[in-house]
Amino acid sequence: MPLIDSKIAIELFRSISKIRIAEETIAERYGENKMRCPTHLCIGQEAVAAAIGIALRKNDFAVSTHRAHGHYLGKGGDLKAMMAEIYGKVTGCGKGRGGSMHLIDKNAGFMGSTAIVGGTIPLGVGLGLSIQLHKTDQVSCVFLGDGAVEEGVFYESMNFAVLKKLPVLFVCENNLYSVYSPLSVRQPDRRQISNMVAGIGCVTTQADGNNAPEVYDLAVKSLMKIRNGEGPVFLELFTYRWREHCGPSYDNDLGYRSKEEFESWKKRDPLVIMKNYILKNHFGTENDLDAICKSVVSEVNDAFIFAEQSPFPDKADLSGHIYSEGC
Amino acid sequence: MTRSISYAHAVNEALSQAMKQDKNVICYGLGIPDPKGVFGTSSGLQEQFGSERVFDMPTSENAMTGIAIGAALNGIRPVMTHQRLDFFLLAMDQLVNNAAKWHYMFGGASSIPITIRLILGMGWGQGPTHSQNLQSWFAHIPGLKVVMPTTPEDAKGLLLSSIFDDNPVVFLEHRWLHNQDGNVPENPSFRVPIGKAKILRAGTQITIAGMSYMNIEALRAIAYLQTLNISCELIDIRSFNPIDWNTIFNSVRKTGHLLVLDTGSETCSVAGEIIARVSMEVFSSLKAPPARLALPDIPTPTSFALTKYFYKNAKDIVAEVAKQLHFDLPHEIPELEKKCPHDVPGNWFKGPF
């Protein structure tokens, strides 16, 4: 077990809870038909987002995917602006133009998420290039999934990051499925993603993505190397999406994955793992953790009220911001 | 001070002056620092500004475009160059899904100041995959700006405007223009605004709206037509997104006739869009149906024997003008015969690309 202090442990718990409770609430209320956009929940995968987000500095950059709520919140993205965005409100982080799949909070260093698989990988690498040119000690973090590894742009981007020794942390959440397609029909049996990436010349490590302290420890060590100018690091973190690929429901009835597989992953709930870690190390009591959850519930409720009460963009907003005015 | 330099030199000067003015301007592409320097357009830049800011790149068009976008998110102004537009098709995902959308989809939170230089091939057997003119594709995408300068002066002024514009700009350079000379101001603060057309020749009887290399053919055609006392107005469209509609409409209001020249395939071309808009907005000024001269809807062939029937030139322009203005032409027009083979811009051009 990695050594982390009580402060970090509590932060991890709070972050995982916040992602979990925000998304559970989205799932619960999605049927009201007010959140009218494709929504990809990361429930079951929160440990990666929380641990990486806390390990990164505020001024480090992150880019993400269609399943970005966790990464955005973990990095410190504004919850109210995210909920308003999902509701299509003008107070949303993209003023209602992006929805759930396009989140941004530059104040938190969260530079954007997009819906095209692999689409932000080169952007994260480009942010790494800009850091190198500006000669700061920031790091750019690229969140991606196991499906994105199959995109050509992934290899091109990795190659360049390694070539130029760019300060980039690649965080690959291997959740075993691309929509309903398991790894076995997409990538050769017995070939590990991390081994393949090592072949490109990148430092790689695998870890249990449901264990936040382990991911945090690994991230801190990796970030130290990266800031030291040693080039990019690729983390392959195994985790599991509990709900359907897109939408609020469970989809085990479809039969594309087995009940046993689902149950075995659910037993390794990142929130429970984190809770037990804190209790075992006497970093907090059940009551402390309940209090955290209560405060998170109230924060989430406030964000939903904010989103609901915010105005929609009006007709004039339709054609704004097509071009940046500065030149 | 203004002096006569080549189009390629004008591009090189714009790059050099932009990099001098702003240390955030970087320049990369396949072959950028190589001994040929992309037809001379990038020669000397690496020596001047170092290999951190001027560099060759892996053969990874898509990722390198995304990398430009990512760098732009943190204040860098990348200029990317591709020796042929056709290679850049691998990067349409990054251009269309990310660069063009980023400012809009995040409510104006970020902008993407990147410039993509694409060189358009023609002749000497460039063939199906080294000579595509896809300006209409780019112009179709909201969020992109698209320019296509004809003269060395515009090459410099529009490239500087593109680099310092906060939006993604596709900058289309025709290979046959690189060796054209013209007067270009030396001043590093010289700019040509994006979105403004330019009247290359004033005239009264017909509006010819042209682009890029077709303007060179148009100038030859107009010189001949002048000997027949036919007065043509030649508009260099220059910018395809945004298009300067007022200059085109005003000219058509004056002449009552329109011929649009396009370097790309005919169907769904920029020429088609211009004819549509003119027909919708200034229909009552038109004295005859507008016409267009574009490439046939056929992939570019390679053979010298086939390209002869593929590309349009001054003779075709003269024929279109005669048709629209109802006058007869002699069977032979020796003035319009090229003094070199049809597949090269001049006898100086020996290929291979």
Side-chain angles (χ1 to χ4, degrees):
Chain A
M1 268 292 175
L3 291 174
I4 60 171
D5 63 19
S6 69
K7 184 174 163 285
I8 295 293
I10 294 294
E11 267 189 69
L12 287 169
F13 180 83
R14 184 189 300 275
S15 182
I16 294 172
S17 305
K18 184 165 165 178
I19 299 167
R20 173 72 54 90
I21 291 165
E23 289 211 320
E24 292 284 9
T25 314
I26 292 170
E28 218 170 274
R29 299 182 61 173
Y30 199 75
E32 293 170 7
N33 297 329
K34 290 178 180 170
M35 290 176 268
R36 303 175 78 88
C37 58
T39 301
H40 303 75
L41 303 178
C42 71
I43 298 168
Q45 307 187 180
E46 303 93 336
V48 174
I52 300 290
I54 290 168
L56 290 168
R57 295 178 186 164
K58 192 178 175 189
N59 71 344
D60 287 334
F61 298 125
V63 293
S64 172
T65 69
H66 55 286
R67 198 179 308 286
H69 300 169
H71 305 144
Y72 169 97
L73 293 173
K75 185 73 176 71
D78 186 274
L79 175 61
K80 286 181 174 170
M82 178 180 104
M83 287 319 308
E85 187 61 32
I86 299 173
Y87 272 80
K89 298 299 179 76
V90 74
T91 52
C93 57
K95 298 185 182 167
R97 280 99 181 284
S100 159
M101 296 193 287
H102 305 99
L103 300 177
I104 189 166
D105 187 342
K106 288 168 79 177
N107 290 330
F110 192 85
M111 302 303 278
S113 65
T114 70
I116 305 298
V117 177
T120 55
I121 298 172
L123 272 66
V125 173
L127 283 160
L129 177 67
S130 73
I131 292 168
Q132 194 176 67
L133 287 164
H134 292 317
K135 299 186 177 24
T136 64
D137 68 347
Q138 291 159 283
V139 170
S140 170
C141 172
V142 177
F143 288 102
L144 66 148
D146 48 291
V149 167
E150 293 149 22
E151 297 283 359
V153 77
F154 169 74
Y155 300 90
E156 297 183 5
S157 303
M158 284 299 313
N159 177 62
F160 189 73
V162 173
L163 174 75
K164 295 275 183 186
K165 282 191 153 189
L166 296 178
V168 182
L169 177 67
F170 294 92
V171 178
C172 176
E173 290 171 314
N174 185 346
N175 71 4
L176 313 176
Y177 291 88
S178 177
V179 190
Y180 306 125
S181 307
L183 267 176
S184 61
V185 301
R186 297 184 288 118
Q187 298 181 24
D189 194 20
R190 290 195 297 264
R191 191 187 69 191
Q192 301 281 314
I193 289 172
S194 51
N195 287 347
M196 188 178 62
V197 175
I200 299 174
C202 190
V203 173
T204 64
T205 316
Q206 290 181 325
D208 175 4
N210 282 16
N211 186 319
E214 192 181 322
V215 175
Y216 175 82
D217 186 64
L218 187 57
V220 167
K221 286 174 183 153
S222 305
L223 288 166
M224 221 179 314
K225 279 188 199 161
I226 296 170
R227 288 193 219 279
N228 217 14
E230 293 175 38
V233 173
F234 181 94
L235 308 180
E236 183 182 10
L237 306 172
F238 296 97
T239 185
Y240 201 76
R241 141 174 76 75
W242 288 7
R243 296 191 184 233
E244 60 191 331
H245 160 69
C246 179
S249 311
Y250 289 96
D251 66 354
N252 295 326
D253 55 311
L254 292 177
Y256 71 99
R257 53 188 193 181
S258 70
K259 196 165 186 284
E260 293 71 36
E261 181 184 275
F262 174 78
E263 291 301 339
S264 76
W265 279 97
K266 214 171 170 194
K267 265 185 218 144
R268 297 178 39 229
D269 180 344
L271 187 62
V272 173
I273 291 174
M274 197 61 232
K275 182 177 168 181
N276 290 341
Y277 182 89
I278 289 169
L279 297 178
K280 193 177 135 204
N281 287 288
H282 307 291
F283 289 154
T285 62
E286 291 262 9
N287 280 346
D288 295 338
L289 300 184
D290 283 349
I292 289 172
C293 286
K294 274 199 190 102
S295 89
V296 168
V297 166
S298 130
E299 196 186 343
V300 168
N301 287 342
D302 285 350
F304 273 81
I305 291 167
F306 173 79
E308 292 250 9
Q309 290 181 349
S310 287
F312 280 112
D314 59 30
K315 195 179 172 188
D317 290 324
L318 176 66
S319 55
H321 300 305
I322 301 170
Y323 294 101
S324 175
E325 297 301 324
C327 63
Chain B
M1 198 190 84
T2 295
R3 71 279 185 250
S4 178
I5 57 174
S6 71
Y7 190 109
H9 185 173
V11 168
N12 185 274
E13 184 169 279
L15 291 170
S16 169
Q17 289 181 349
M19 295 191 76
K20 228 178 265 174
Q21 281 166 54
D22 184 347
K23 65 174 177 24
N24 288 317
V25 176
I26 64 169
C27 185
Y28 62 86
L30 280 169
I32 279 286
D34 79 11
K36 290 191 172 175
V38 190
F39 314 115
T41 59
S42 59
S43 301
L45 294 177
Q46 195 176 52
E47 291 77 1
Q48 218 180 334
F49 299 102
S51 56
E52 266 201 349
R53 292 177 62 198
V54 181
F55 52 89
D56 214 324
M57 68 172 215
T59 320
S60 306
E61 289 82 1
N62 196 30
M64 293 310 298
T65 305
I67 285 163
I69 297 166
L73 290 176
N74 190 27
I76 302 295
R77 292 185 178 272
V79 183
M80 253 186 121
T81 302
H82 299 271
Q83 309 227 12
R84 284 293 179 271
L85 174 148
D86 316 65
F87 295 106
F88 182 69
L89 297 187
L90 287 159
M92 287 302 274
D93 165 48
Q94 286 299 326
L95 182 78
V96 176
N97 280 320
N98 283 342
K101 309 283 190 289
W102 208 268
H103 188 67
Y104 186 85
M105 74 183 170
F106 293 117
S110 296
S111 53
I112 309 291
I114 62 171
T115 302
I116 313 275
R117 289 177 55 211
L118 302 177
I119 294 169
L120 313 168
M122 178 173 166
W124 202 278
Q126 298 297 296
T129 62
H130 266 46
S131 65
Q132 293 171 85
N133 283 250
L134 300 176
Q135 54 275 15
S136 67
W137 284 30
F138 302 122
H140 185 68
I141 309 299
L144 295 182
K145 292 189 177 180
V146 186
V147 297
M148 200 172 184
T150 304
T151 65
E153 180 184 8
D154 285 353
K156 176 175 174 179
L158 279 171
L159 184 52
L160 281 164
S161 293
S162 303
I163 293 169
F164 292 110
D165 196 287
D166 278 345
N167 298 282
V169 183
V170 177
F171 185 93
L172 298 162
E173 282 170 47
H174 200 288
R175 176 73 186 101
W176 281 22
L177 295 174
H178 278 143
N179 290 60
Q180 296 272 341
D181 290 327
N183 289 331
V184 178
E186 207 172 336
N187 189 347
S189 55
F190 172 63
R191 301 282 186 275
V192 170
I194 295 172
K196 291 277 172 233
K198 177 175 169 179
I199 297 176
L200 280 180
R201 289 286 182 280
T204 55
Q205 289 170 275
I206 184 168
T207 300
I208 302 177
M211 64 179 72
S212 189
Y213 180 71
M214 280 308 279
N215 283 325
I216 305 299
E217 293 293 333
L219 288 169
R220 292 176 57 221
I222 289 169
Y224 169 73
L225 288 164
Q226 229 163 9
T227 66
L228 307 180
N229 286 324
I230 303 292
S231 166
C232 306
E233 180 143 296
L234 177 61
I235 295 175
D236 184 358
I237 305 163
R238 294 199 295 195
S239 167
F240 299 100
N241 195 354
I243 291 179
D244 179 1
W245 294 110
N246 279 341
T247 298
I248 297 170
F249 292 162
N250 286 338
S251 178
V252 173
R253 280 188 192 107
K254 181 173 73 177
T255 64
H257 290 275
L258 175 66
L259 169 64
V260 188
L261 312 177
D262 200 310
T263 60
S265 309
E266 185 164 17
T267 302
C268 295
S269 59
V270 171
E273 178 64 24
I274 290 174
I275 287 174
R277 289 279 184 119
V278 165
S279 306
M280 289 158 71
E281 304 287 335
V282 286
F283 186 73
S284 58
S285 302
L286 287 169
K287 297 172 192 158
R292 65 185 173 191
L293 262 182
L295 296 183
D297 294 326
I298 301 171
T300 314
T302 297
S303 168
F304 179 78
L306 294 175
T307 49
K308 196 162 25 166
Y309 308 107
F310 183 75
Y311 284 110
K312 308 293 184 195
N313 58 35
K315 279 200 290 189
D316 301 300
I317 297 168
V318 166
E320 279 296 332
V321 171
K323 203 165 108 188
Q324 206 171 129
L325 297 184
H326 302 295
F327 62 88
D328 294 326
L329 288 171
H331 279 297
E332 302 284 323
I333 309 177
E335 298 95 310
L336 292 179
E337 293 304 329
K338 271 181 86 173
K339 292 172 185 61
C340 63
H342 76 271
D343 69 336
V344 290
N347 280 319
W348 54 268
F349 189 88
K350 298 292 181 211
F353 59 92

